[in-house]
Amino acid sequence: MITPRPSDVEGVAAGALEWLLATARPTGNGLAWATRPSEERLNPVLYSGTAGVVLALLEAERHFGDERYGDAAVRGARSIAAAVEDWELSSLYFGLTGMAVALRAVHERLGEAAAGAAASRALDLVRSRFDGTRWGPQFDLLGGNAGVALGALAAGDVELAVLAVTPYTTTAETTPVGVVWETRAGRPARLHHTAHGTLGVVHALASVGRTANRTDLTELAAAGAADVVARDEAGPEGFLVPHSDPQDQPERNERHSYGWCNGPTGDAQTFRLLREVLGDPAWSALTDRCWHTVTHSGLPRRPRPGFWDNNGQCCGTAGVLALACDREVEYGDGLDFAQVLVADLLARTTADANGACWSNVEYRAAPSSLEPTPGWAMGNAGIVRELLRFARVSTGRDPGYAVTWPDRPAAVPS
């Protein structure tokens, strides 16, 4: 492997930012992005739309000191603000809560007061839609209460965050070693990881419990984590828990994954948080075990089409890169693996007329090569954010982000 030079990494990131700017759609005095450039419908959300792109632009503005990115972020915020009243979903990744996170970040970083006011409107709408238990069929981090709680904290609304996690105190199901939750109405399987399962709920409970000084919430978080820990199949050195029990949609879901959404990469982020909140060294040991499994898994090797062909944050290489850089900041042992991941991302970059981008692979689709996308989860925005941070970490510059992601604790040197 050729070690990627930080200047080359920054060059690719700059090309990917040009691609983002070129694929933006003007909307009055704003800018917006669709989930895919070929689609007509604009998408304001964090997971796959404008809100995620705006956070990447804020990262670029801070990293390069280029006002073009800040101006584009402000214009993106205007299109998000214009969509608030008509957007029907309330969640962090697919709804108003994530939109509020991006709007609040633009207000705080760039002084755009209108964005802050729109964030408050969005959160007021979220609060008004609460039915006393949830906001819809999802009860998880991506689309349900846990994500609402974390997004509310990120946007400065502690009261809403407490409201969102309180139902978990009465819906927990006791197991022999801890607790679990039904994280989607009517789903018989119990999922275990960050995106849709127990550890996503744990992350929200621990974060809100710490901020609101609620030990009942942090104790419930520890009980949820205990159930997941008991399901480990890779100890004592590693940590690998199945996707779900009984297996949810086995025709679609791998039994074991390694990324942020359903694998030890995301598990490690929650264990990092529990280390901070509970102060027990056992959580540090679990973080180390997750790291061992990730670095010995063969990633980013692609053992078959569609298995690990996501370059992005949610299930792919960029999400693992975020953890690798966290490890480098906290323990000084993440840079070598981060370089492997970055080299793979650079090798898979595609250059087109608009700049640099990445295409994922879906083995269930024909053709299997997918259209490049702008968003955070699977596209340029999420990859740019990690490439820029890697360039800073590898050269001893500020390892923090312009905006801390709602469900990942900031890295602090040990």
Side-chain angles (χ1 to χ4, degrees):
M1 181 196 77
I2 299 175
T3 301
R5 295 183 299 182
S7 59
D8 293 338
V9 175
E10 288 177 316
V12 171
L17 287 160
E18 292 304 314
W19 189 92
L20 286 173
L21 295 177
T23 56
R25 313 273 184 83
T27 59
N29 64 348
L31 287 178
W33 283 261
T35 302
R36 300 173 185 83
S38 63
E39 294 182 358
E40 290 298 320
R41 185 172 186 254
L42 300 178
N43 179 354
V45 308
L46 194 62
Y47 190 82
S48 54
T50 302
V53 175
V54 162
L55 293 182
L57 291 169
L58 291 176
E59 192 70 41
E61 188 274 337
R62 176 176 178 263
H63 184 95
F64 290 114
D66 189 331
E67 293 183 358
R68 287 190 310 146
Y69 302 130
D71 291 343
V74 169
R75 294 179 67 194
R78 289 172 184 161
S79 77
I80 298 169
V84 164
E85 277 72 21
D86 295 325
W87 198 254
E88 296 180 355
L89 300 177
S90 298
S91 64
L92 173 61
Y93 278 100
F94 309 120
L96 291 172
T97 302
M99 293 158 64
V101 169
L103 290 164
R104 186 74 75 204
V106 170
H107 176 206
E108 292 178 353
R109 289 204 57 82
L110 302 178
E112 184 75 2
S120 296
R121 292 201 315 273
L123 294 178
D124 286 344
L125 274 172
V126 172
R127 185 179 283 102
S128 72
R129 294 173 178 177
F130 183 55
D131 71 2
T133 303
R134 59 179 74 198
W135 280 267
Q138 287 183 255
F139 202 44
D140 56 9
L141 190 151
L142 249 65
N145 290 46
V148 170
L150 291 167
L153 282 185
D157 193 333
V158 178
E159 180 183 349
L160 177 58
V162 172
L163 183 73
V165 297
T166 297
Y168 292 120
T169 65
T170 58
T171 56
E173 304 168 6
T174 302
T175 71
V177 293
V179 297
V180 297
W181 290 269
E182 179 189 55
T183 52
R184 188 179 186 95
R187 172 187 273 156
R190 296 298 177 258
L191 279 62
H192 308 311
H193 298 280
T194 299
H196 299 294
T198 299
L199 286 183
V201 176
V202 165
H203 205 106
L205 287 166
S207 296
V208 177
R210 173 176 59 178
T211 301
N213 196 27
R214 291 275 302 272
T215 56
D216 59 325
L217 300 180
T218 56
E219 289 171 357
L220 188 60
D227 179 84
V228 177
V229 171
R231 300 174 188 271
D232 169 52
E233 299 177 357
E237 290 187 340
F239 189 83
L240 189 64
V241 170
H243 174 273
S244 47
D245 292 296
Q247 179 71 7
D248 183 63
Q249 302 181 68
E251 74 283 0
R252 291 179 54 86
N253 297 316
E254 300 284 345
R255 181 68 174 155
H256 298 97
S257 299
Y258 297 95
W260 169 82
C261 53
N262 292 302
T265 298
D267 300 350
Q269 298 291 5
T270 297
F271 295 151
R272 290 178 59 233
L273 174 67
L274 291 173
R275 177 194 68 198
E276 295 177 10
V277 173
L278 301 176
D280 187 335
W283 302 110
S284 292
L286 284 162
T287 302
D288 292 343
R289 287 167 56 187
C290 290
W291 180 241
H292 176 89
T293 292
V294 170
T295 55
H296 289 76
S297 65
L299 298 181
R301 177 178 59 87
R302 317 269 165 117
R304 64 174 173 78
F307 175 65
W308 189 262
D309 289 311
N310 181 354
N311 301 293
Q313 286 273 0
C314 187
C315 313
T317 305
V320 182
L321 176 58
L323 177 63
C325 288
D326 289 336
R327 291 289 306 193
E328 180 62 22
V329 173
E330 294 183 342
Y331 299 104
D333 65 357
L335 187 59
D336 287 348
F337 193 58
Q339 290 172 339
V340 171
L341 300 170
V342 170
D344 187 79
L345 286 171
L346 266 55
R348 296 180 185 278
T349 307
T350 298
D352 67 14
N354 292 323
C357 56
W358 289 266
S359 177
N360 297 317
V361 172
E362 172 54 79
Y363 73 95
R364 294 174 297 230
S368 59
S369 183
L370 303 178
E371 179 183 359
T373 60
W376 173 85
M378 309 291 181
N380 270 35
I383 297 170
V384 162
R385 187 171 182 268
E386 303 312 330
L387 291 179
L388 293 179
R389 188 200 187 195
F390 168 82
R392 296 193 301 275
V393 169
S394 62
T395 52
R397 288 177 281 170
D398 183 358
Y401 294 105
V403 181
T404 301
W405 207 255
D407 50 47
R408 298 180 189 176
V412 178
S414 58

